[in-house]
Structure formats: C-alpha cells, structure tokens
Amino acid sequence: VDDDDSVRIGFARLMRSAGLNPHAYASAENFLDEVSNLACACILLDITMPRMTGLEVQARLRQRGIHLPVITITARDDDETRAWARSLGAHMFLRKPVDDQALLDAINWVTGGNRER
C-alpha cells in the first residue's frame, strides 16, 4: 500500500520478479475494502499517506482482527514513528529508499519463507 505510483509499481515488479504475487493499492481505503486474513501473506505498508496514515491502517487491521505480518516503509525515520509502528504490530520497519534484496529478505522472513505466497 503506497500512494506513490512509482514506488508502488516498482515494488510490485520486484516482487513478481522474485516469484511473488503482489496486490498493489494506491490508497489505504482501497486496501481496507479488500484485505482479509490470508495464509502466507504480508502487508507492505507506507506510513506517510494522505487521508489515512499507515499507522492508522495498522490500528484498523487490529480492530478487525486481521493479523497479517506488516512491514512498514517510510521516508520518516524517527524513534517515535518506529515505536508507534511496532506497538501496532509492525514486524519490520524499513526506510526509503529500500534496498531490493533487503525487502525480499524481509518478506521471506515475515512469511516464514513459504514460497506459496
């Protein structure tokens, strides 16, 4: 979930090149309309988005009982944001620009290395 078209498209291409099946969303609202608890899935979530932040998305996921692993990404890298994201259940916190291999490794780690995703 990222409002920046170039970032969202780039991440989706990277994931497809690694044999993953990404579902990309330009807005938090569109994502929340479709999200469900899926086996072997994770959420790559930008923190700074208009209308609803990634942190607000995390809070709504918790309220709905959706417990997919979350990898947060952001250009904002401060202790308060990191602590808030982790308190809402983020498994990893990555700073933009994200290294391709680091992102793929993070996805592999939070999904338990299951290639059926």
Side-chain angles (χ1 to χ4, degrees), residues 11-23:
F11 284 154
R13 283 183 183 148
L14 172 66
M15 289 179 226
R16 279 192 300 274
S17 74
L20 304 174
N21 183 26
H23 297 270

Side-chain angles (χ1 to χ4, degrees), residues 7-40:
V7 171
R8 187 179 61 258
I9 291 167
F11 284 154
R13 283 183 183 148
L14 172 66
M15 289 179 226
R16 279 192 300 274
S17 74
L20 304 174
N21 183 26
H23 297 270
Y25 297 90
S27 74
E29 296 85 358
N30 289 346
F31 168 71
L32 288 170
D33 286 344
E34 294 186 22
V35 69
S36 62
N37 275 318
L38 300 171
C40 303

Side-chain angles (χ1 to χ4, degrees), residues 39-60:
C40 303
C42 70
I43 300 167
L44 181 61
L45 183 61
D46 186 18
I47 288 181
T48 308
M49 295 185 289
R51 295 182 305 279
M52 186 183 310
T53 69
L55 299 172
E56 291 170 311
V57 171
Q58 281 186 262
R60 289 191 185 192

Side-chain angles (χ1 to χ4, degrees), residues 4-116:
D4 184 318
D5 291 340
S6 62
V7 171
R8 187 179 61 258
I9 291 167
F11 284 154
R13 283 183 183 148
L14 172 66
M15 289 179 226
R16 279 192 300 274
S17 74
L20 304 174
N21 183 26
H23 297 270
Y25 297 90
S27 74
E29 296 85 358
N30 289 346
F31 168 71
L32 288 170
D33 286 344
E34 294 186 22
V35 69
S36 62
N37 275 318
L38 300 171
C40 303
C42 70
I43 300 167
L44 181 61
L45 183 61
D46 186 18
I47 288 181
T48 308
M49 295 185 289
R51 295 182 305 279
M52 186 183 310
T53 69
L55 299 172
E56 291 170 311
V57 171
Q58 281 186 262
R60 289 191 185 192
L61 291 170
R62 288 183 92 182
Q63 290 170 348
R64 292 168 143 187
I66 296 173
H67 301 289
L68 294 170
V70 174
I71 300 170
T72 55
I73 55 168
T74 187
R76 260 180 73 179
D77 188 14
D78 58 77
D79 291 338
E80 182 180 346
T81 303
R82 281 178 180 266
W84 192 10
R86 288 206 171 102
S87 75
L88 292 168
H91 287 69
M92 300 201 76
F93 188 99
L94 300 175
R95 187 169 184 269
K96 288 181 182 177
V98 178
D99 176 78
D100 290 352
Q101 189 59 55
L103 177 57
L104 293 174
D105 289 346
I107 292 168
N108 189 54
W109 182 75
V110 301
T111 60
N114 188 327
R115 300 300 298 174
E116 299 287 324

